[in-house]
Amino acid sequence: MIYSMEKTCTSVWNCCLEIIKDNIPAQSFKTWFEPIKALRLDGNVLTIQVPSLFFYEWLEEHYVGLLRKTVKKQLGDAGRLEYNIVVEKSSKSMAPYTTNMPSNGNGAEGKRQSIPVPVTINKDIKNPFVIPGLKKLQVDPQLNQNYTFDNFIEGECNRLARSAGFAVAQKPGGTSFNPLMIYGGVGLGKTHLAQAIGNEVKRNLPDKLVIYVSCEKFCQQFVDSLKNNTINDFVNFYQAMDVIIMDDVHNFAGKERTQDIFFHIFNHLHQSGKQVILTSDKAPKDLAGLEERLLSRFKWGLSADMQVPDLETRMAILKKKMYADGINLPEEVVEYVAHNIDNNVRELEGAMVSLLAQATLNKKDIDLGLAKSMLRNFIKNTQKEISIDYIQKLVCEYFEVPVDMVKSKTRKREIVQARQISMYLAKNHTKTSLKSIGAFFGGRDHSTVIYACQTVEDLIDTDKTFKSYVQDIQKKLKMG
Ligand code: ADP
Ligand code: MG
């Protein structure tokens, strides 16, 4: 039998598609291969038309091996693939033009040529990522106006992150802090700072396109655009930005496809000198479930950590917030709250809001008593009884003596003083029996404890300095 040997671009491409279809998931096939048109067959060069540059890049990155194999199977070893890329234009009068790119055929990332991508605008498609009009692009940056540098308190804990953020905000894309990665625990002000950068850019450079997006939202948008076949618009939207702020990138963990697409967008933005700002709850090196190539990008710029603010900074944050709300708090209340909530600024604020609510509802002034009774619900371990260990630690810290010494036989004056005060506090602030207290101090008997307590009481009555020591320690004991 004689078969017709004539091959057309369509027949060759259809044969390729048959093979490809069997080798990749149906959804991927639909997304990435169905929109392709076979255009030409010149000898052993097959030209296919793809709807955008992004499409081309994606195919080359993910399917180049498969494409090469199938093309060679159809056209022999000399078979080659070329792309014809449609570059859409905003103006209706201008027909889309196309540009040709060879397939690099070996999947080597570095070989790919980079050509500038005009923003794709297609007015007929209704989806959230299509940017209307080319001249003056307007995008809602999704920023919370309340997060500014003005109301971000600087402290040792956030100095590097804040000053790097400020530098970036003055010159987005123009510093070596690109990407700027802000990382640290929950409630330490990462989102606040990242948004402050966005707001500052908008204030100084209103024409810059800034977008704030949480990683979670980005992942959801990606899934939706896969479903709706709007991947191109999704990518073009983000690639058109001057500043992208991506919050909580640790949420990329395990989401490989979204990481892929972000990798793409990241590269595009970074290459064109656009600013990328990221936040994360861990340092890049500790981020699990993220692809190495994405992580290595995250390390390109500056990673700045946010620590737990110290007492002064916590107090300053509280005061600033209260001042902004027109509320004047007694210093001791501010100190009490800031002292007791010491690991998280968000909790600090939460406590303050509850305090205000209590005061308003009960028509009471905010004083230390109210703060204490209210904070009980807030502070973990409040119910925990004061332990003798804790008393010993506090007293020894106060007098700068080693804890071991108060448990030893030493009769050195300052050790005896620390030991006796500790016993006195143990008797008055714990429910422990005198005998048990003695046991905590190197196995002394109960009469020693009684004697210590009497001595301390006498000294409190007669020695002002001594009295102030004991009061100081007692205050710390109640606070902590
Ligand atoms: P994260 O994103 O790190 O979990 P947020 O940025 O949401 O934390 O901060 C939690 C709350 O604490 C926000 O209301 C924020 O305004 C406030 N906050 C954190 N750090 C500061 C700071 N240095 N100055 C003022 N407010 C702060
Ligand atoms: Mg946050």
Side-chain angles (χ1 to χ4, degrees):
M1 253 215 268
I2 298 165
Y3 291 99
S4 161
M5 293 300 286
E6 201 190 333
K7 289 179 172 172
T8 65
C9 64
T10 315
S11 70
V12 169
W13 181 238
N14 283 341
C15 291
C16 291
L17 286 181
E18 286 301 312
I19 301 171
I20 292 167
K21 202 173 192 162
D22 285 343
N23 283 287
I24 65 172
Q27 177 69 54
S28 306
F29 184 80
K30 196 165 166 337
T31 307
W32 301 110
F33 289 91
E34 279 187 2
I36 297 176
K37 268 196 269 179
L39 215 58
R40 276 193 302 278
L41 183 66
D42 300 323
N44 54 14
V45 181
L46 173 68
T47 305
I48 56 173
Q49 186 174 69
V50 297
S52 71
L53 180 70
F54 167 70
F55 225 91
Y56 151 75
E57 289 181 343
W58 187 270
L59 289 170
E60 280 288 281
E61 189 169 326
H62 293 84
Y63 301 111
V64 73
L66 185 61
L67 279 166
R68 186 184 44 193
K69 261 188 237 153
T70 51
V71 168
K72 290 202 164 155
K73 191 153 184 183
Q74 301 307 316
L75 300 174
D77 268 356
R80 279 199 296 119
L81 184 67
E82 266 193 32
Y83 295 87
N84 178 278
I85 301 160
V86 179
V87 183
E88 291 168 77
K89 283 305 218 175
S90 60
S91 146
K92 284 219 167 81
S93 59
M94 267 168 88
Y97 69 92
T98 61
T99 174
N100 289 336
M101 294 288 282
S103 166
N104 76 39
N106 58 12
E109 224 186 290
K111 271 197 177 175
R112 195 179 304 140
Q113 279 173 263
S114 146
I115 48 177
V117 207
V119 177
T120 305
I121 281 114
N122 185 336
K123 288 204 172 105
D124 299 333
I125 302 172
K126 284 271 173 292
N127 80 61
F129 304 115
V130 176
I131 302 165
L134 186 61
K135 280 208 187 81
K136 197 137 181 119
L137 296 178
Q138 297 259 330
V139 171
D140 177 355
Q142 309 283 327
L143 290 164
N144 179 341
Q145 309 284 326
N146 297 326
Y147 290 141
T148 62
F149 277 104
D150 271 352
N151 59 22
F152 187 80
I153 304 285
E154 187 173 352
E156 217 36 71
C157 53
N158 58 32
R159 200 175 310 283
L160 174 66
R162 190 203 166 277
S163 51
F166 195 74
V168 161
Q170 307 309 314
K171 259 176 105 182
T175 67
S176 53
F177 310 145
N178 199 13
L180 173 64
M181 159 79 103
I182 301 164
Y183 68 92
V186 185
L188 296 184
K190 301 182 297 293
T191 298
H192 185 141
L193 182 56
Q195 295 230 16
I197 299 171
N199 280 318
E200 180 73 10
V201 171
K202 275 309 226 185
R203 199 170 67 92
N204 297 331
L205 309 157
D207 288 339
K208 290 272 180 205
L209 294 179
V210 176
I211 189 81
Y212 166 87
V213 64
S214 71
C215 181
E216 260 181 322
K217 185 168 167 194
F218 182 86
C219 294
Q220 190 53 50
Q221 288 175 341
F222 172 66
V223 171
D224 288 347
S225 66
L226 264 182
K227 221 169 22 202
N228 304 330
N229 266 317
T230 53
I231 286 282
N232 264 316
D233 300 314
F234 170 77
V235 172
N236 285 329
F237 175 84
Y238 282 107
Q239 289 191 340
M241 296 299 130
D242 295 304
V243 177
I244 178 170
I245 303 166
M246 166 90 60
D247 209 355
D248 295 327
V249 294
H250 49 266
N251 289 329
F252 269 135
K255 301 200 173 72
E256 278 165 33
R257 284 198 305 174
T258 322
Q259 286 183 46
D260 269 355
I261 212 120
F262 185 65
F263 179 73
H264 228 91
I265 294 169
F266 179 100
N267 285 343
H268 178 91
L269 292 174
H270 198 272
Q271 273 164 23
S272 15
K274 304 301 171 59
Q275 181 69 47
V276 179
I277 297 148
L278 310 160
T279 78
S280 150
D281 67 355
K282 288 183 202 73
K285 69 175 172 48
D286 300 323
L287 276 172
L290 262 72
E291 284 180 42
E292 192 45 48
R293 57 181 191 158
L294 197 55
L295 278 183
S296 77
R297 296 292 194 275
F298 288 178
K299 292 176 199 159
W300 275 359
L302 175 78
S303 302
D305 69 332
M306 308 266 282
Q307 300 278 346
V308 177
D310 56 25
L311 181 65
E312 273 78 58
T313 311
R314 294 201 299 278
M315 287 175 66
I317 292 173
L318 275 184
K319 281 185 194 161
K320 184 111 187 174
K321 299 260 170 195
M322 293 302 116
Y323 184 77
D325 290 348
I327 294 151
N328 215 342
L329 279 185
E331 181 81 8
E332 56 177 3
V333 173
V334 175
E335 188 177 348
Y336 181 80
V337 175
H339 188 95
N340 280 289
I341 298 187
D342 59 359
N343 61 347
N344 183 322
V345 180
R346 194 175 297 139
E347 272 180 28
L348 202 60
E349 285 179 8
M352 221 50 182
V353 170
S354 304
L355 194 53
L356 293 179
Q358 289 272 340
T360 317
L361 289 174
N362 303 333
K363 300 203 167 54
K364 271 192 195 166
D365 280 344
I366 301 178
D367 57 15
L368 197 56
L370 184 66
K372 279 183 184 170
S373 69
M374 206 281 311
L375 275 203
R376 230 161 257 151
N377 307 319
F378 254 91
I379 308 163
K380 283 179 246 125
N381 307 330
T382 318
Q383 304 303 21
K384 193 187 79 185
E385 287 195 358
I386 296 171
S387 70
I388 297 181
D389 284 337
Y390 183 64
I391 291 173
Q392 288 175 335
K393 180 171 162 277
L394 210 65
V395 173
C396 291
E397 264 171 22
Y398 189 85
F399 290 114
E400 295 177 317
V401 298
V403 176
D404 291 348
M405 297 298 275
V406 298
K407 299 179 185 173
S408 74
K409 302 266 176 258
T410 310
R411 301 287 320 152
K412 268 170 109 177
R413 212 189 64 82
E414 73 268 23
I415 303 291
V416 172
Q417 176 175 276
R419 185 185 298 132
Q420 291 183 331
I421 291 177
S422 300
M423 286 179 169
Y424 167 84
L425 293 173
K427 175 173 171 274
N428 288 309
H429 294 276
T430 73
K431 293 194 183 82
T432 321
S433 69
L434 296 177
K435 189 164 178 251
S436 304
I437 293 174
F440 272 89
F441 292 83
R444 290 174 155 84
D445 66 21
H446 80 283
S447 59
T448 313
V449 181
I450 291 174
Y451 175 75
C453 292
Q454 270 168 4
T455 310
V456 171
E457 277 160 21
D458 288 348
L459 282 170
I460 288 173
D461 287 341
T462 53
D463 184 339
K464 265 196 188 149
T465 319
F466 184 88
K467 183 177 174 183
S468 74
Y469 290 163
V470 178
Q471 280 176 339
D472 262 5
I473 299 168
Q474 256 165 339
K475 198 171 153 198
K476 282 183 200 291
L477 199 59
K478 280 182 199 149
M479 286 236 172

